[in-house]
């Protein structure tokens, strides 16, 4: 993935994902700096230009969620006191031994869960009743883990037995229990504020003493499906809280882009960028009840 992670004096760049960059202080002191960029992706493509303030909005949202969840699980955040160049969009975190499983909770049918359900009548080995529509609420939220794929690949859904084989039964059970209790808390909070959290992907790590700790960024529109509650309508693809305007423009005749082609998508026009930014701000405000900044 071609990205442009900033040079940060006093840190070395460790790695970058599509939209985030990871740094380690030099010399190493057991912490890491997790930086959220303003980059945005859709249909598996990184888009140009960036969305101003996206990284800061998602960082603030993630910090707010860590606070909402702090009685359920410890988290990796040490401080939001970070270099000026990344102020507001980075957190200093504890370096953990990361567990090699994407811990996904789903309360609604969408994405790879919908595809698996239509093929198998189950997701990750969890059987579901017949007749569920695209976007339907599941009878109860389920744990649908996935293996972390290499950059550019898609994560592969796995069943609970596979997680147990990788990590042992007690740790697999702990991850399932934490993932479902975090989702239940977040889903309730968001629903009270008019946002459906259809699903969410969590990452956990362990401290040297074995404590399981919530890591990465949590419950942002990049790690979760957020749907506006007022337009939820099972039986069709749901409106995405943040990316709908981007997807609609990319697939409209105005963009001139053929999604099925190998061509990179065209540059987003200013009005689409402005609207997308507003959606991130609105999601933050709906959730937290306070204006961003
Ligand atoms: C870690 N990733 C995957 C940045 C984010 N607390 C931690 N300790 C050790 N390692 C990690 C964390 C965290 N969080 C997490 N990689 C390392 C997500 N990356 C992808 C690239 O951008």
């Amino acid at each position: 993935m071609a990205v442009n992670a900033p040079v940060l004096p006093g840190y070395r760049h460790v790695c970058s994902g599509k939209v985030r960059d990871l740094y380690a202080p030099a010399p190493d002191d057991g912490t890491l700096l997790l930086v959220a960029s303003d980059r945005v992706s859709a249909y598996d493509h990184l888009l140009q230009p960036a969305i101003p303030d996206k990284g800061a909005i998602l960082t603030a949202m993630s910090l707010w969620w860590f606070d909402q969840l702090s009685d359920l699980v410890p988290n990796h955040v040490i401080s939001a006191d970070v270099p000026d160049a990344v102020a507001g969009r980075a957190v200093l975190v504890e370096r953990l031994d990361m567990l090699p499983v994407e811990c996904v909770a789903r309360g609604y049918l969408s994405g790879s869960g919908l595809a698996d359900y239509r093929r198998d009548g189950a997701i990750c080995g969890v059987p579901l009743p017949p007749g569920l529509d695209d976007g339907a609420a599941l009878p109860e939220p389920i744990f649908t883990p996935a293996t972390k794929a290499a950059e550019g690949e898609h994560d592969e859904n796995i069943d609970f037995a596979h997680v147990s084989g990788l990590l042992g039964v007690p740790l697999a059970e702990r991850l399932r229990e934490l993932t479902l209790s975090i989702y239940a808390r977040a889903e309730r909070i968001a629903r009270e504020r008019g946002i459906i959290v259809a699903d969410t992907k969590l990452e956990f790590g362990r401290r040297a003493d074995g404590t399981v700790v919530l890591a990465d960024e949590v419950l942002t529109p990049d790690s979760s499906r957020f749907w506006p509650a007022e337009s939820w309508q099972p039986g069709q693809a749901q409106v995405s809280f943040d990316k709908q305007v981007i997807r609609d423009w990319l697939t409209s005749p105005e963009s001139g882009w053929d999604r099925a082609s190998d061509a990179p998508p065209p540059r987003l026009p200013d009005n689409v960028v402005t609207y997308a930014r507003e959606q991130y701000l609105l999601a933050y405000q709906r959730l937290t009840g306070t204006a961003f900044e």
Side-chain angles (χ1 to χ4, degrees), residues 12-252:
R12 82 186 162 81
H13 177 231
V14 176
C15 64
S16 289
K18 248 191 193 136
V19 301
R20 281 160 325 127
D21 309 305
L22 195 64
Y23 296 81
D28 217 299
D29 65 355
T31 69
L32 291 170
L33 188 70
L34 192 54
V35 180
S37 75
D38 291 341
R39 303 190 289 269
V40 65
S41 68
Y43 298 125
D44 279 334
H45 293 271
L46 196 56
L47 306 175
Q48 299 286 353
I51 309 294
D53 301 322
K54 173 177 179 266
I57 298 165
L58 268 57
T59 296
M61 194 181 289
S62 184
L63 287 170
W64 183 83
W65 278 118
F66 278 129
D67 223 47
Q68 303 298 307
L69 302 168
S70 63
D71 61 315
L72 297 179
V73 60
N75 65 66
H76 68 161
V77 175
I78 297 169
S79 113
D81 186 12
V82 297
D84 286 345
V86 293
R89 60 184 181 91
V91 283
L92 196 66
V93 303
E94 268 182 79
R95 189 159 49 76
L96 302 166
D97 184 12
M98 295 302 290
L99 298 170
V101 173
E102 308 274 9
C103 291
V104 178
R106 298 175 189 272
Y108 294 78
L109 202 50
S110 188
S112 71
L114 175 65
D116 292 3
Y117 170 72
R118 286 182 171 162
R119 196 189 52 226
D120 307 332
I123 313 174
C124 298
V126 180
L128 292 168
L132 295 175
D133 280 337
D134 187 353
L138 300 176
E140 62 183 357
I142 59 174
F143 178 57
T144 62
T147 55
K148 291 188 200 191
E151 186 75 45
E153 311 284 302
H154 280 118
D155 295 345
E156 193 180 328
N157 286 344
I158 55 178
D159 63 13
F160 185 78
H162 193 131
V163 182
S164 301
L166 288 171
L167 302 176
V169 172
L171 184 52
E173 285 179 341
R174 175 83 177 129
L175 292 181
R176 179 172 59 187
E177 166 191 88
L178 279 172
T179 300
L180 290 174
S181 63
I182 289 164
Y183 176 78
R185 170 75 62 85
E187 191 276 336
R188 175 180 60 75
I189 291 173
R191 184 165 30 81
E192 286 169 353
R193 293 157 166 81
I195 292 178
I196 293 174
V197 178
D199 52 44
T200 195
K201 184 208 73 178
L202 304 171
E203 291 194 37
F204 296 92
R206 272 184 307 185
R207 292 182 179 140
D209 70 0
T211 311
V212 176
V213 175
L214 183 59
D216 207 20
E217 65 167 38
V218 291
L219 291 150
T220 67
D222 278 2
S223 68
S224 315
R225 282 192 178 82
F226 284 8
W227 297 336
E230 68 275 12
S231 45
W232 177 57
Q233 212 177 342
Q236 58 192 64
Q238 303 302 303
V239 173
S240 158
F241 204 106
D242 55 318
K243 285 184 186 163
Q244 199 59 43
V245 63
I246 294 174
R247 291 182 186 153
D248 288 350
W249 182 78
L250 284 174
T251 54
S252 73

